[in-house]
Amino acid sequence: MLSRAAPSKGLRLLCATVFLCLGHVASRADAPFVVDEWRFGTQETNATLRYCIDARDPDWPVARKIAAAVAAALLLRGEEYLIGDDPRSADMSGDDLDDTYRALIQHCDVFFGFKLVPDAYPGWITITRPYYRSTYVYVVADPAWKSLGDIPTTLAIGATIGTGADMRLTQYILAVPADKRWDKYPMSSDEAALRAVMRGTTAAALVWAPALWALRKTDAGIAKLPEMASSPLPVSTADVGAILLSRQMFLRSSLDQAIASLTADGTVAGILKDENFPGTPEPP
Amino acid sequence: MPASNISSSRFWTATILGFPLLLLAGAPAQAQPAQVADPMKNMRLVTDEMLLHPDPGDWLMWRRTYDGFGFSPLNQINKANVKDLQVAWAWSLTNGATESTPIVHDGILYIWNYADKVQALNAATGDLIWEYRRELPQAIIDLAGNIMAKRNMAIYQDKLVIATSDAHLVALDAKTGDVVWDHETADWHKGWRYTSGPFIVDGMVLQGMTGCGNAEPGGCFITAHDFKTGDEKWRVWTIAHPDDPNFNTWNGLPLESRFGASAWVAGSFDPDQNLVFYGVGQPYPWIAEMRGTLPKKKNAPSITNTSLYSDSTLAIDPATGKVKWYHQYLQDDTWDLDYVYERMLIDLPLNGATRKMVVTTGKLGIIEALDRTTGEWLWAKQTVPQNVVAKIDDKTGEKTINQAAIPHIGQTTVNCPADPGGRGWPATAYNPTTQTLFLPLNEFCSNTTPTPLDPGQAYTGGGRAIFARMLVPNSDGNVGRIDAIKLTDRSTTWSFRTRAPSTGAVLPTAGGVVFAGAWDRYFRAWDDATGKVLWQIRTNNAINGFPVSYSVNGKQYVAVSVGNGSSHAKSLATLTPEITAPDGGSVLWVFALPDTK
C-alpha cells in the first residue's frame, strides 16, 4: 500500500494533500446550474479525502472499502458521505448529472462507483482509472438453457434499460434476420428484469453482475435463478471507477496512483475476494 | 430652572412642536391609499362564469382563458405609448428555475416561487398580503433543478389550488393562504412530480403528472379531483394499458416495459362540447431502439409501434374522464420531440366554412390544426428549420419520417431541431382580433448519439442520448425568433430574429403590442402588425416565465418573472456561450405607464 511507499511517492501524496487545501475554485464553463452554489464552500481541513458512496449502487459495500483504502493510501483521513434513499433524478431531460455535480461541490471530492463509459460524461467530470471490472450476465428460469442461443426466438429477453450490454444486444438483434430475433423488453431496473423472469414474462434477464450479487443476498427466489452464457454474443463488461470535477486534475492523478498501487499490491483483489464479489481488479 | 426641568421642558416642547410634523409626515402615506388598502376585502369569489368570461383586468388561469389564447383584452398600453412603459414595482422571488405565470384577480396577484412558496401580493403596489411555504423533504430540495418550478396555478371560488413538488395537490384559502385540503396524488419517492399546475373545469381540478421517465412502468396520467376535498375522481392513463383498445401499439411490450408520456402542461376547455384538451409528451426512453419499439415486432400484423398516446391530443370529458377522441402527431417519437404544449381552441375559416379547431405546436415547430369536435386533422404550417419530417400528407396529416434522421445505437445522426425543441414550454399566444398566432422559437440542430445511461446508478432510470447542439447549416448566427403567423391563410406576417435564444412565453394584447423576452435578459414589446420593436428593457436575469397583463383601478400592468435555472433555457444557452445570465436573482417585474396628471 502507499502508506509504505517510497519517499518519492510520499512527496506526491504531500502535493495531493496541499491540493486538497485549495478546495474547488469554480470554473463554470460547462458545469450544471446549482441554485445558490455560493453556499457550498471549500473544506477547511487539509488532511481529509471526502468521498461519496451511493447506497443505491449494488456494489456500495465494495466501493466503501476501496474508497477507505484509497484514502489511507493517500495518507488522508477518509470522510465518507453516504447517499441514501434519495429519489433518483426524476427525468431524462439532461439534468441527471446535476445531482452528481451538487454532491461533488457539497459533500465530496470524489464519487465512487461509476461505470467508465466512453463519451458518457460531460467535460466538467473527469474519471479515475478503474478499480474493478465486472460483467453483464444472462439469468434464466429454465436451467436447460445454457446459453443465449438456446432460447427460442419466440420468447423475450428482458434487459435493464440502456446499459452498454443492452445496447450490444439490441445491435445484435437489429443485425440478424427478423425470424432469428428475440423480442427484447426494456426493464426499469436489474431487479425488475429478474422478477420478470421469475414471473415468466421473459425467458432471460440481462443484468449487471454486481446487482445480481447484491439481490441474491436478500432474495431467495433470485438466488435460485441460474446464469447462462452470453454466446453467440461476447461477454459484455464494464470498468468501474470514480469521478471527480475535471478541475481536480492533480487529485485525479493522485487517485490514479493510489488505485494502481492498491491493485498492484493485491488490496483490491482482497476486498473483492472477501466480499465474494463478481469482479476482477483492473488490470487483473 | 433645574437642568432636569430644562430637559423636561425641551422634551415637551419638542414633542408638542413635533407632533404636527409627525402628522404631516404621515400624510403622504395616507394620500396613497393604494399602498395600504387591502384588496382582499373586496375580493369576489371566482365563479364558473368568471372563468368562462373573465374580467378584462383579471388573469385567472395559465393562458388566461379556457381557449388557451394567452391574450389580454386590455389596450391602455398600446403601440403609441408603450415606449413610455416603466417599472411600476418589482418583487424578488426565490432563486431557482422561475417559469411562473401570475394569477391576478380583483387587484391581488398570486405568484409561485421556486421551491413551493406561494405569495399573494397587492397587484398595484407589490405589497405582500400572505405567503405560503411548503415544507419539502430535504431530498427533493437536494434534487433542485426544474423539479421545484411550476408553470401555473389555478383559482376558483375562494381557493387557490397548487401542485407541489412532492406530487400533492393543495388548496389554499385565497384570502389567507391557509391550507384547506392537501391530497397526495402519487409517491414522490418514485420520481412522480409536477412541473405544471392545475386546470379547473366545472368544479373539477384536473392535473397532469410528470416524472414518468424515472423507471416507473405504465407511464403518466391525468387525474381529476373534487374541488372541495381533493379526492380523486378519475384517472386517464397516457400510455395504453391492457384494458385499452390501443394496447397493441407498443410493439408487443408488456406494460411494465412502457414508460413516459408525461402530461406536463395544463389543458384547455371547450364549454360548448364540454371537452378538455390535454397534450401528451414523448415516450421514454427517447431512443426507440432503447425502449423496444424498434425494431418492429416480427410476424405480428396486429401489433404496431406507434406508442399511443405519446405526442397526442386527448379530448376528455371532464365529468367522467372518458376520452372522446385522440390524435397522435408523431408516431413512435425517437427524438424527444414533445407535442405536449398549449392547445388553442380557435374557430377559423377553412374551405369556405368555419371550423372549430384545436391548434398546437410541437417541439418540431410545426403548427397543426385539428377539428376539435372530431379530431380530424386539418392543416399544418412549418416554422423553424427541421429535418425529421420529410413530408406531411395534406389530407390526413400523416408524417413521412426522414429515415436519415432516426437515431440508431452506435451512430450519430443530425437532428433539426432536437431536445429542447424548436419551441419549448414557453407558450405561444393568439390574438383573436387579428387572427394572428405568435410563437417563441429557436433554430438549432444537434448531433444525436444514443449513449449507455448506466455510468452510475445515481441516475439510472431510462434511456437517453448525447445531444451536441449546433447552429443550423448556413446559419447567420441567430438562434431566437418571435414569429407572427396569420392563421387565416397561414402566412408569416413577420419574424423577429435574434442571437439570444427565446426563453419566455409571448403575450399579445388588444393594444396591438406583443411582449416576450429572451435569454439575454431583454424584455421587449413589438408592434403586432409589423414586428417593429417599440420598447425594451434589460432586466436582471433571463426572461423565463409567462408574461401576463392585468388592471387595477383602471390602470394596466404587464408582469413577467425572470430567473435562471430552467433546463430548457440552460440547454438553449449552450448555443450562445457568450451570452450569460446570472445564477441568482429571480424577480417578478411589473411595468405600467406613468400616471397622468
Side-chain angles (χ1 to χ4, degrees):
Chain A
M1 292 178 63
L2 280 180
S3 57
R4 297 191 296 274
S8 59
K9 290 183 178 177
L11 179 61
R12 289 198 292 269
L13 297 174
L14 176 62
C15 293
T17 305
V18 171
F19 183 86
L20 288 175
C21 294
L22 299 176
H24 62 268
V25 180
S27 168
R28 295 200 47 84
D30 65 345
F33 177 90
V34 171
V35 177
D36 293 344
E37 185 172 336
W38 60 269
R39 292 194 294 123
F40 309 122
T42 57
Q43 60 169 318
E44 295 183 16
T45 60
N46 59 4
T48 301
L49 179 68
R50 302 178 307 157
Y51 54 85
C52 284
I53 303 293
D54 192 335
R56 297 166 297 187
D57 287 347
D59 71 342
W60 73 270
V62 168
R64 162 182 269 177
K65 289 185 175 180
I66 291 176
V70 167
L74 290 170
L75 304 178
L76 298 170
R77 183 172 63 85
E79 185 176 294
E80 177 184 287
Y81 182 82
L82 188 66
I83 294 175
D85 61 351
D86 303 358
R88 298 180 192 281
S89 286
D91 67 14
M92 290 168 287
S93 62
D95 291 343
D96 306 302
L97 284 169
D98 287 12
D99 302 345
T100 306
Y101 179 74
R102 188 183 178 94
L104 286 169
I105 62 172
Q106 185 174 11
H107 300 302
C108 50
D109 305 302
V110 56
F111 198 150
F112 284 79
F114 282 76
K115 297 192 186 78
L116 306 185
V117 179
D119 301 323
Y121 294 98
W124 57 268
I125 284 178
T126 189
I127 55 181
T128 67
R129 61 178 295 157
Y131 46 78
Y132 76 75
R133 171 176 291 179
S134 191
T135 62
Y136 294 88
V137 294
Y138 286 90
V139 177
V140 290
D142 186 344
W145 295 326
K146 300 301 183 187
S147 71
L148 184 61
D150 294 339
I151 295 179
T153 55
T154 54
L155 301 177
I157 311 295
T160 310
I161 296 173
T163 67
D166 174 38
M167 293 176 75
R168 281 185 280 276
L169 174 61
T170 302
Q171 286 182 294
Y172 175 81
I173 288 172
L174 287 163
V176 299
D179 61 351
K180 296 189 183 304
R181 294 173 181 165
W182 303 278
D183 288 336
K184 194 203 70 174
Y185 296 164
M187 293 293 167
S188 59
S189 66
D190 292 311
E191 181 175 354
L194 293 165
R195 299 209 179 284
V197 172
M198 294 167 70
R199 282 196 305 274
T201 306
T202 55
L206 174 57
V207 299
W208 177 230
L212 180 62
W213 166 81
L215 289 164
R216 277 176 168 164
K217 291 197 282 190
T218 58
D219 189 302
I222 290 175
K224 292 177 184 173
L225 295 175
E227 298 177 34
M228 67 175 182
S230 63
S231 58
L233 273 71
V235 174
S236 291
T237 64
D239 293 341
V240 174
I243 65 167
L244 61 164
L245 297 175
S246 55
R247 57 180 178 255
Q248 304 268 40
M249 290 304 293
F250 196 92
L251 176 59
R252 196 201 78 172
S253 175
S254 299
L255 291 167
D256 282 350
Q257 292 175 51
I259 292 169
S261 295
L262 294 169
T263 301
D265 70 8
T267 301
V268 173
I271 291 170
L272 299 177
K273 184 179 179 183
D274 288 348
E275 295 286 343
N276 195 26
F277 188 78
T280 56
E282 180 55 31
Chain B
M1 187 178 286
S4 59
N5 287 346
I6 293 172
S7 294
S8 177
S9 173
R10 284 178 178 170
F11 169 79
W12 285 109
T13 303
T15 303
I16 292 167
L17 291 174
F19 186 66
L21 293 175
L22 289 174
L23 289 176
L24 288 173
Q30 292 173 0
Q32 297 178 22
Q35 291 187 1
V36 295
D38 180 2
M40 284 295 183
K41 291 178 180 174
N42 299 318
M43 194 183 90
R44 298 165 294 164
L45 292 179
V46 176
T47 64
D48 291 297
E49 177 59 24
M50 287 181 187
L51 293 179
L52 286 166
H53 305 288
D55 286 353
D58 276 358
W59 195 285
L60 296 178
M61 64 183 76
W62 174 49
R63 302 308 293 145
R64 188 176 178 275
T65 46
Y66 276 138
D67 50 27
F69 288 177
F71 170 77
S72 171
L74 299 175
N75 59 9
Q76 185 180 79
I77 299 168
N78 56 45
K79 297 180 186 183
N81 61 22
V82 69
K83 66 181 187 303
D84 299 323
L85 212 57
Q86 57 187 219
V87 177
W89 55 269
W91 180 258
S92 292
L93 303 169
T94 305
N95 281 346
T98 302
E99 305 172 359
S100 303
T101 312
I103 280 181
V104 187
H105 175 53
D106 284 349
I108 301 150
L109 184 149
Y110 300 94
I111 185 72
W112 176 276
N113 287 243
Y114 184 74
D116 296 37
K117 181 165 73 181
V118 180
Q119 292 162 324
L121 303 170
N122 182 320
T125 65
D127 292 319
L128 180 68
I129 299 171
W130 58 253
E131 177 175 290
Y132 164 79
R133 295 185 188 211
R134 186 163 185 81
E135 294 182 4
L136 291 172
Q138 184 63 42
I140 288 179
I141 292 171
D142 286 345
L143 281 174
N146 268 43
I147 292 170
M148 291 180 288
K150 301 289 172 286
R151 300 184 188 95
N152 71 290
M153 303 178 288
I155 191 168
Y156 182 55
Q157 294 184 357
D158 57 349
K159 298 179 184 66
L160 186 74
V161 186
I162 62 172
T164 71
S165 299
D166 52 349
H168 286 231
L169 287 172
V170 175
L172 304 175
D173 185 314
K175 288 197 171 186
T176 65
D178 294 339
V179 174
V180 180
W181 51 256
D182 183 325
H183 176 84
E184 181 184 23
T185 309
D187 183 357
W188 66 269
H189 294 87
K190 296 179 178 176
W192 305 114
R193 71 185 193 284
Y194 292 130
T195 57
S196 284
F199 181 60
I200 296 180
V201 172
D202 199 20
M204 297 277 267
V205 180
L206 275 60
Q207 177 67 46
M209 180 60 74
T210 188
C212 314
N214 198 38
E216 285 303 311
C220 263
F221 45 84
I222 300 161
T223 53
H225 303 260
D226 185 317
F227 170 75
K228 293 180 179 174
T229 64
D231 293 343
E232 184 173 320
K233 294 299 182 184
W234 52 254
R235 178 173 296 208
V236 171
W237 294 97
T238 54
I239 279 178
H241 277 225
D243 59 350
D244 188 307
N246 290 308
F247 185 70
N248 65 351
T249 59
W250 278 76
N251 210 28
L253 297 178
L255 184 64
E256 65 188 291
S257 292
R258 304 178 182 195
F259 311 97
S262 293
W264 56 281
V265 171
S268 303
F269 174 55
D270 181 352
D272 295 337
Q273 292 192 86
N274 193 35
L275 280 180
V276 293
F277 301 90
Y278 260 84
V280 181
Q282 77 283 59
Y284 286 160
W286 293 341
I287 306 301
E289 289 177 354
M290 279 188 177
R291 69 167 175 267
T293 52
L294 281 179
K296 175 83 169 57
K297 186 178 176 67
K298 61 185 182 290
N299 303 324
S302 65
I303 291 177
T304 67
N305 60 347
T306 55
S307 305
L308 285 170
Y309 298 93
S310 62
D311 290 321
S312 297
T313 287
L314 300 180
I316 304 170
D317 182 332
T320 64
K322 182 180 180 184
V323 177
K324 182 179 178 185
W325 57 259
Y326 70 91
H327 175 85
Q328 187 177 41
Y329 300 90
L330 188 59
Q331 297 181 350
D332 200 32
D333 180 355
T334 185
W335 304 270
D336 178 29
L337 290 171
D338 287 78
Y339 267 86
V340 72
Y341 305 115
E342 67 285 342
R343 268 60 183 156
M344 295 182 182
L345 312 184
I346 304 174
D347 297 346
L348 286 170
L350 184 69
N351 301 328
T354 297
R355 300 292 294 264
K356 292 178 175 294
M357 302 183 189
V358 53
V359 177
T360 193
T361 308
K363 278 186 179 174
L364 278 165
I366 302 175
I367 309 163
E368 298 191 52
L370 311 175
D371 184 313
R372 70 175 180 268
T373 65
T374 63
E376 177 193 0
W377 185 89
L378 298 176
W379 53 258
K381 159 80 176 177
Q382 299 198 38
T383 58
V384 294
Q386 65 86 22
N387 74 343
V388 172
V389 176
K391 181 185 174 187
I392 302 176
D393 186 296
D394 60 8
K395 296 286 191 298
T396 66
E398 184 177 352
K399 295 178 175 70
T400 302
I401 299 299
N402 171 19
Q403 296 298 304
I406 295 177
H408 294 290
I409 293 170
Q411 300 178 21
T412 295
T413 52
V414 176
N415 300 130
C416 310
D419 164 81
R423 66 80 41 107
W425 56 259
T428 66
Y430 178 69
N431 183 334
T433 58
T434 62
Q435 296 176 301
T436 302
L437 178 69
F438 301 93
L439 306 96
L441 302 168
N442 291 291
E443 300 178 1
F444 67 99
C445 300
S446 169
N447 280 316
T448 305
T449 309
T451 308
L453 54 67
D454 63 348
Q457 294 292 321
Y459 42 90
T460 295
R464 67 174 189 177
I466 291 175
F467 295 98
R469 299 179 194 92
M470 57 190 177
L471 300 178
V472 298
N474 303 315
S475 169
D476 60 2
N478 288 321
V479 176
R481 266 170 61 173
I482 302 293
D483 277 16
I485 310 286
K486 183 83 168 176
L487 287 190
T488 45
D489 62 3
R490 302 191 285 284
S491 61
T492 300
T493 308
W494 53 265
S495 180
F496 177 88
R497 303 180 68 239
T498 180
R499 170 71 173 160
S502 294
T503 51
V506 292
L507 166 68
T509 74
V513 181
V514 180
F515 294 92
W519 174 246
D520 62 1
R521 300 164 20 226
Y522 275 110
F523 186 56
R524 294 187 172 96
W526 291 266
D527 182 318
D528 70 354
T530 66
K532 180 184 178 184
V533 176
L534 301 175
W535 169 85
Q536 65 182 19
I537 185 171
R538 198 157 207 199
T539 69
N540 64 305
N541 214 321
I543 313 300
N544 207 196
F546 297 84
V548 304
S549 190
Y550 62 90
S551 66
V552 182
N553 298 326
K555 183 171 184 173
Q556 182 182 355
Y557 298 84
V558 173
V560 66
S561 57
V562 309
N564 194 350
S566 154
S567 64
H568 171 258
K570 286 191 302 176
S571 298
L572 291 169
T574 61
L575 292 157
T576 57
E578 79 281 10
I579 304 174
T580 56
D583 58 5
S586 294
V587 170
L588 177 67
W589 289 77
V590 179
F591 306 97
L593 296 171
D595 289 327
T596 54
K597 302 297 181 186

